[in-house]
Amino acid sequence: MSMFKIAGLKDATPSSYPTVPAGRYTVRVIEVKTGETGAQSKYPGTPKLQLKAVIIDGEHKEHKLTFGIVIPSGVGVENDPEYLANRLGQLAKFLVACGIDYTKGGFDPEDLNGVELIVAVDLKTDANGEKQNNVKNWICISK
């Protein structure tokens, strides 16, 4: 196989994705994607929203955070009523806080773009021993 050349790679310093200290931050959602939970989750392949938000004030202004919200459906979930009720309740809480009507049985994920939230962030260690931010809770402050 031939060498795969990448400009600047030879001068790069190995580093982790930048994190912010644990705390509360005001953010604005700038991107919403749909996807599925990974192989390590309780129910792999369960639909989820992946939100990217930017901190809009303070010392860490412009830092981006990414977090997911599981959408409870998929193989196996319907056989775990406690998990299903918990996840549906969390999703409904988030949507109500963001001013989004979910009572018709669904919603448009794009309606989350531009929403401002106060998020509680902590630090966790991933499987490779790297620190990463983890959004633990949120309070919607606009919409």
Side-chain angles (χ1 to χ4, degrees):
M1 180 178 245
S2 64
M3 183 179 290
F4 183 54
K5 296 201 180 237
I6 301 171
L9 181 59
K10 68 179 181 176
D11 300 319
T13 302
S15 64
S16 301
Y17 191 78
T19 58
V20 295
R24 292 180 184 259
Y25 298 94
T26 304
V27 301
R28 180 178 300 112
V29 175
I30 58 172
E31 185 178 308
V32 180
K33 292 182 181 180
T34 56
E36 296 181 344
T37 57
Q40 301 299 317
S41 68
K42 184 172 183 176
Y43 295 106
T46 301
K48 72 174 183 175
L49 293 174
Q50 192 70 27
L51 294 102
K52 183 183 286 185
V54 61
I55 296 175
I56 59 175
D57 60 14
E59 178 183 351
H60 301 287
K61 185 176 180 176
E62 301 301 323
H63 182 90
K64 293 177 178 68
L65 297 169
T66 303
F67 61 102
I69 299 174
V70 174
I71 301 171
S73 63
V75 178
V77 174
E78 65 278 354
N79 296 325
D80 190 342
E82 184 177 336
Y83 177 84
L84 183 60
N86 178 282
R87 291 300 180 176
L88 283 171
Q90 288 293 314
L91 178 59
K93 174 185 169 187
F94 180 75
L95 294 173
V96 166
C98 293
I100 295 176
D101 181 14
Y102 67 91
T103 60
K104 295 181 178 123
F107 64 98
D108 183 351
E110 287 299 316
D111 290 343
L112 294 167
N113 274 314
V115 167
E116 291 183 3
L117 307 160
I118 297 173
V119 294
V121 175
D122 68 5
L123 287 169
K124 69 178 186 178
T125 304
D126 69 13
N128 298 319
E130 299 284 334
K131 296 284 185 190
Q132 59 184 223
N133 286 126
N134 183 36
V135 174
K136 298 292 289 179
N137 207 348
W138 53 82
I139 300 168
C140 191
I141 57 174
S142 76
K143 203 57 172 160

